[in-house]
Amino acid sequence: MERWARAKYQPVLPLGEDGRRITGSREHIMLSKDAAKEGMVLLKNQGNVLPLAKGSRVALFGKATIDYVKGGGGSGDVTVAYARNLYEGLKQKAGHVEIFEELALFYKENVKGQYAKGRGPGMTVEPALPEELLKKARAFTDTAIISICRYSGEGWDRKSIYDKKNKTDDMVIAGLEQRQDAEEEVFEEGDFYLTHAEKAMVESVKNSFPRVIVVMNVGGMVDTDWFAGEDKIQAVLMAWQGGIEGGLAAAELLIGEGSPSGKLSDTFAKRLEDYPSTYNFHESDDYVEYTDDIYVGYRYFETIPGAADKVNYPFGFGLSYTKFSLSVPVVEKGEHDLRVMVDVCNVGAVAGKEVVQVYYSAPQGRLGKPARELAAFCKTRLLQPGETQTVTLRIDINDMASYDDLGKVVKSAYVLERGEYRFYVGTSVRDTVESSYVMVLNEDVVTEQLSPKMVPTQLSKRMLADGSFEELPQGEPVDTDASVFAAKLSEKETAGVTPVVRRRESYRLWGDIDNRPKLIDVAEGRMTLEEFVAQLPDEQLAELLGGQPNTGVANTFGYGNLPDYGVPNIMTADGPAGVRIAPQCGVCTTAWPCSFMLACSWNPELAERVGEAGSAEAKENNIGAWLTPAINIHRSPLCGRNFEYYSEDPYLTAKMAGAMVTGIQSNHVAATVKHFALNNKETNRTESDSRASERAIREIYLKAFERIVKEAKPWSIMSSYNIINGHRASENREMLEDILRGEWGFEGMVTTDWWAHSEHYKETKAGNDVKMACGFPGRLLEAMEKGALTRGEMEICARRILGLILRID
């Protein structure tokens, strides 16, 4: 094919080896199902209630039996041919289990009626359970399966989004308004907790049935206190939001077609109030103060005095239908790294996989440290009963360094403080054994000397390892709205505005000679990219720095589009959970498990396969850039987009999302790592200031981006909407140029998030290369006339945009 033929001509060319389309293919759907199975986490299995024996009879309780949530809303939603719920999944296994159909019919009719009235998946009301139906179900079987579901989406946060003070910003995602407004009616105490109706249903079921199993169809942290210590509930499967075949995946695990091997990628505390981020998450629409600092997730619960008692299920926890034994770990020190070797043996009766996790404990020193931090992990292959696998894990010694932002040891440096470094090997952050090897440093070691960046301007304090707080010095505040223009563009001029379809002058198909250089000349080595960009007129240069009109099935616009210079219009597509194509296009893609669920698989090889398959669907539909993965840290359970983010831990996030990047780009489709950075709240996301210390920013919130840039080398990164310590993310030169490119060596392109409130010329100066979905070329040219922007600055961004296009096939 001609270079960029898919972008130029939008051909319908299948990528399957036999000439069939692979988009939404059976092969991809089965991969989605298998990925869902590997990410599901078995939290509880008293008396080995699971797996269900062949011939079991079950009664399915809860409207979530039918009301299945395949994934979250907004950019994470996917148009699919179908989505299979738990009831339908178990019906596929009719030879193994028998379902009490009258009860299932009750829920089917109820959910159908609620859908007809405008409610969507996950936002329906739990119906009152008829007493007579409960009695009939108990007469049919002694085994009940309770299903609970939750839904959240882009542009709004969980819990208090219905309050006037916590309404979403003006960029509400189309179609979600009704679901947001239903929150108050459905979830009296916020959707972290069970509703009153759900509590009543659960109480009736557990008091009537001797065997109770719970299946949780959720996309993030929820209340687990109602089943963690309840002996009347014997088994709990966290089935998460499993994509197109999540119901079948859960059904197969329930009957023993595979053994659960997922591990929690977050800590599950007893109450929402036990998370240190909860108290001020909704304190203001205008800012969030990250006073918990580096003590996020297990770093808080395993470190702060008294916090450990607040945990129901620790980070990394997950049960199996089989048992594993780990040998005493052997640690060997090299010049720059440590190697940890351990034998894993399946000592149970069925095949299964185990995840070996290695944590380190650094000396508290003068900086203070978390009690434990994840250093490495490895998932075994499928081990048969009696089979052993030797697992070798590598730890870069410098990765254990802490950032000193105040100069307690060496200012603005990563430091390995003197003292003892201890190592723990096991299957969760708590289920570990300490290695006999101790790394001792007799003096402080500076591993990297940097300079202050992104320092806080309005964060007065931060948490320390003993639970107390220290005061922070403040940097100089910045006027985010300062501009060479007298007035800022209005919402009417910016929000939801689509790119201009530019008129092209008439030309002859033959006879005329066009001597203008073309981008193919660069691709084929006849001229340099610098030479090509230098000959572009100012107007075309400015137009290149903004989003371009949709073509084909795309709905998130494109990059490039200078036809007179042979620059194709490269289409983008949303979709952390699959390639998102609007329903009216008639194209159904594969819905993959949500990113949080993929993280719970702890299997980077699996994530890479999902990334490769998903990008193949993008390419087949003439999409050149897939706007995924999203890797913001799970700071709070209340963030509305936790389903499309990975974990509370930056190392696990980086390894799983980095594998996705590798898989995506193997098909010459650009991955887009987002949202850079500290986009941990959706409420008023375009104007909210994320206030954090430089240490927390570097060690927690930027660390996954850093590792992915250095290891997976993504072609594109998306800056976030929000403000960070007084600077808009997309206008933050310290973050985009000094850190991303200067410190980390990023060589790709940076795009804004769509319709950000930032000023285009200031983004260009900061190293944010393209403004999406629509740029403002006239405003760029005016800024250049006023002396606020140079052509050289625009050329730098143009070269990065074209560099991305040159990588896309």
Side-chain angles (χ1 to χ4, degrees), residues 253-560:
L253 285 183
L254 291 175
I255 68 170
E257 290 186 7
S259 176
S261 64
K263 303 285 185 177
L264 293 178
S265 66
D266 286 336
T267 303
F268 278 60
K270 293 180 178 179
R271 303 182 308 148
L272 175 62
E273 294 77 10
D274 292 331
Y275 293 92
S277 59
T278 299
Y279 83 97
N280 68 352
F281 186 84
H282 281 307
E283 180 178 82
S284 172
D285 282 359
D286 298 326
Y287 61 84
V288 181
E289 294 190 337
Y290 290 52
T291 52
D292 44 348
D293 205 55
I294 63 170
Y295 300 101
V296 178
Y298 72 86
R299 286 170 169 80
Y300 170 82
F301 290 107
E302 305 304 318
T303 306
I304 305 302
D309 296 335
K310 300 176 181 180
V311 175
N312 278 334
Y313 298 102
F315 177 81
F317 176 82
L319 301 174
S320 172
Y321 292 153
T322 190
K323 300 290 184 183
F324 297 93
S325 69
L326 274 61
S327 67
V328 175
V330 175
V331 180
E332 296 179 352
K333 185 178 184 298
E335 184 178 358
H336 302 293
D337 64 3
L338 300 170
R339 289 199 310 151
V340 181
M341 290 157 285
V342 60
D343 293 336
V344 184
C345 181
N346 183 348
V347 296
V350 298
K353 298 180 180 181
E354 182 58 285
V355 178
V356 179
Q357 304 165 37
V358 181
Y359 297 85
Y360 69 90
S361 177
Q364 283 296 312
R366 283 166 283 180
L367 297 178
K369 317 286 193 318
R372 292 192 181 184
E373 296 188 67
L374 182 66
F377 67 90
C378 180
K379 194 163 196 173
T380 69
R381 64 177 180 268
L382 184 67
L383 296 177
Q384 298 300 319
E387 186 177 4
T388 297
Q389 178 180 347
T390 299
V391 172
T392 301
L393 306 99
R394 179 185 172 276
I395 303 170
D396 188 319
I397 292 174
N398 287 351
D399 285 346
M400 296 187 289
S402 299
Y403 186 76
D404 182 1
D405 54 358
L406 297 185
K408 295 179 180 180
V409 183
V410 178
K411 185 173 174 57
S412 303
Y414 275 100
V415 180
L416 288 166
E417 287 199 81
R418 63 185 177 184
E420 296 182 345
Y421 291 75
R422 298 182 179 274
F423 302 89
Y424 303 84
V425 181
T427 55
S428 79
V429 70
R430 292 186 177 178
D431 186 12
T432 60
V433 296
E434 183 177 351
S435 167
S436 60
Y437 173 79
V438 179
M439 187 180 82
V440 180
L441 294 182
N442 295 319
E443 58 184 22
D444 301 328
V445 178
V446 173
T447 63
E448 188 176 13
Q449 181 64 61
L450 301 170
S451 58
K453 305 292 178 187
M454 302 175 69
V455 298
T457 58
Q458 291 181 284
L459 182 69
S460 62
K461 65 179 182 178
R462 67 173 171 196
M463 185 179 292
L464 299 175
D466 63 0
S468 65
F469 291 82
E470 71 173 350
E471 294 184 359
L472 288 175
Q474 305 297 292
E476 288 296 320
V478 175
D479 182 1
T480 59
D481 293 324
S483 173
V484 298
F485 297 109
K488 195 175 181 181
L489 290 173
S490 68
E491 286 300 309
K492 189 175 182 180
E493 294 173 296
T494 58
V497 173
T498 61
V500 172
V501 179
R502 297 189 298 274
R503 180 176 179 270
R504 190 181 184 195
E505 294 297 327
S506 175
Y507 64 97
R508 296 183 64 195
L509 289 173
W510 58 86
D512 292 341
I513 298 176
D514 184 358
N515 290 319
R516 285 175 293 198
K518 302 293 188 290
L519 188 60
I520 192 67
D521 295 325
V522 178
E524 296 179 352
R526 289 184 289 275
M527 67 187 311
T528 67
L529 184 57
E530 289 75 11
E531 290 169 339
F532 178 80
V533 171
Q535 52 83 45
L536 292 176
D538 288 349
E539 292 76 10
Q540 278 70 40
L541 185 64
E543 288 167 352
L544 185 62
L545 305 193
Q548 304 300 322
N550 287 319
T551 61
V553 298
N555 57 57
T556 51
F557 310 101
Y559 306 140

Side-chain angles (χ1 to χ4, degrees), residues 647-759:
S647 172
E648 66 190 28
D649 182 75
Y651 181 83
L652 177 60
T653 296
K655 288 299 183 181
M656 295 301 298
M660 277 284 290
V661 169
T662 299
I664 291 167
Q665 295 184 168
S666 68
N667 284 314
H668 298 280
V669 171
T672 310
V673 185
K674 62 185 186 182
H675 307 88
F676 193 53
L678 286 86
N679 186 177
N680 305 102
K681 180 179 178 180
E682 288 296 289
T683 304
N684 194 33
R685 59 184 176 168
T686 56
E687 295 294 334
S688 180
D689 186 6
S690 296
R691 300 172 179 173
S693 76
E694 188 185 359
R695 182 180 181 187
I697 288 173
R698 287 184 178 276
E699 288 191 20
I700 303 296
Y701 299 102
L702 295 190
K703 186 57 68 175
F705 288 97
E706 178 182 359
R707 187 175 288 276
I708 290 172
V709 165
K710 291 179 176 178
E711 295 180 356
K713 303 189 183 307
W715 300 346
S716 180
I717 283 178
M718 182 190 297
S719 60
S720 54
Y721 288 118
N722 53 289
I723 298 165
I724 305 170
N725 287 338
H727 295 257
R728 293 190 183 277
S730 61
E731 297 176 356
N732 194 328
R733 186 174 179 84
E734 285 190 350
M735 183 174 76
L736 300 178
E737 284 293 333
D738 298 349
I739 295 177
L740 177 62
R741 293 185 170 105
E743 294 179 13
W744 303 348
F746 177 64
E747 297 180 345
M749 183 199 82
V750 176
T751 173
T752 66
D753 206 338
W754 273 223
W755 299 292
H757 285 189
S758 308
E759 178 63 64

Side-chain angles (χ1 to χ4, degrees), residues 9-325:
Y9 312 121
Q10 297 289 302
V12 183
L13 295 177
L15 288 177
E17 292 182 0
D18 55 0
R20 291 184 298 114
R21 279 178 60 81
I22 59 172
T23 301
S25 64
R26 192 64 187 161
E27 293 81 1
H28 283 187
I29 289 172
M30 287 300 97
L31 174 59
S32 176
K33 183 204 71 174
D34 291 342
K37 287 175 68 174
E38 195 145 335
M40 291 181 182
V41 179
L42 184 65
L43 288 186
K44 191 175 180 180
N45 195 19
Q46 291 176 194
N48 293 323
V49 169
L50 292 175
L52 296 168
K54 189 169 185 178
S56 295
R57 296 176 129 200
V58 296
L60 306 178
F61 288 92
K63 51 93 175 177
T65 300
I66 305 299
D67 180 26
Y68 170 61
V69 180
K70 72 180 187 300
S75 67
D77 201 4
V78 183
T79 301
V80 293
Y82 68 93
R84 202 183 305 276
N85 59 39
L86 182 62
Y87 167 76
E88 293 165 339
L90 286 169
K91 287 293 286 183
Q92 292 282 309
K93 304 299 175 182
H96 195 107
V97 292
E98 184 180 354
I99 298 170
F100 180 51
E101 291 290 350
E102 186 177 350
L103 180 60
L105 180 61
F106 164 75
Y107 286 114
K108 259 197 284 189
E109 291 178 345
N110 180 275
V111 171
K112 181 180 179 181
Q114 292 195 58
Y115 284 175
K117 292 178 180 178
R119 292 196 181 274
M123 301 301 286
T124 55
V125 178
E126 185 66 45
L129 180 61
E131 185 65 28
E132 187 60 31
L133 198 53
L134 178 66
K135 291 178 180 178
K136 287 183 179 181
R138 178 63 185 90
F140 177 81
T141 181
D142 65 352
T143 303
I145 300 178
I146 296 173
S147 291
I148 301 291
C149 68
R150 289 292 184 267
Y151 172 89
S152 63
E154 180 181 3
W156 53 291
D157 289 307
R158 297 171 65 186
K159 195 176 181 180
S160 298
I161 60 168
Y162 50 84
D163 292 336
K164 287 184 180 179
K165 68 175 184 176
N166 287 324
K167 279 288 186 183
T168 68
D169 65 2
D170 46 21
M171 282 186 54
V172 166
I173 306 302
L176 293 186
E177 299 94 329
Q178 222 173 6
R179 294 182 179 182
Q180 297 171 40
D181 292 340
E183 181 87 356
E184 180 178 15
E185 178 185 349
V186 178
F187 305 106
E188 304 93 343
E189 301 172 39
D191 74 342
F192 182 87
Y193 294 105
L194 294 182
T195 67
H196 297 170
E198 287 171 337
K199 290 178 182 178
M201 179 269 292
V202 169
E203 196 68 21
S204 295
V205 172
K206 73 182 185 183
N207 289 333
S208 300
F209 287 80
R211 294 158 54 92
V212 179
I213 299 160
V214 171
V215 175
M216 298 292 288
N217 170 209
V218 298
M221 290 168 273
V222 291
D223 179 27
T224 57
D225 218 32
W226 60 276
F227 59 70
E230 176 55 77
D231 290 337
K232 291 182 179 180
I233 297 175
Q234 291 84 16
V236 178
L237 179 68
M238 303 303 289
W240 311 125
Q241 294 170 349
I244 192 167
E245 281 286 9
L248 180 58
E252 289 185 357
L253 285 183
L254 291 175
I255 68 170
E257 290 186 7
S259 176
S261 64
K263 303 285 185 177
L264 293 178
S265 66
D266 286 336
T267 303
F268 278 60
K270 293 180 178 179
R271 303 182 308 148
L272 175 62
E273 294 77 10
D274 292 331
Y275 293 92
S277 59
T278 299
Y279 83 97
N280 68 352
F281 186 84
H282 281 307
E283 180 178 82
S284 172
D285 282 359
D286 298 326
Y287 61 84
V288 181
E289 294 190 337
Y290 290 52
T291 52
D292 44 348
D293 205 55
I294 63 170
Y295 300 101
V296 178
Y298 72 86
R299 286 170 169 80
Y300 170 82
F301 290 107
E302 305 304 318
T303 306
I304 305 302
D309 296 335
K310 300 176 181 180
V311 175
N312 278 334
Y313 298 102
F315 177 81
F317 176 82
L319 301 174
S320 172
Y321 292 153
T322 190
K323 300 290 184 183
F324 297 93
S325 69

Side-chain angles (χ1 to χ4, degrees), residues 77-80 553-556 579-589:
D77 201 4
V78 183
T79 301
V80 293
V553 298
N555 57 57
T556 51
V579 178
R580 188 167 70 88
I581 296 174
Q584 60 266 30
C585 295
V587 177
C588 294
T589 61

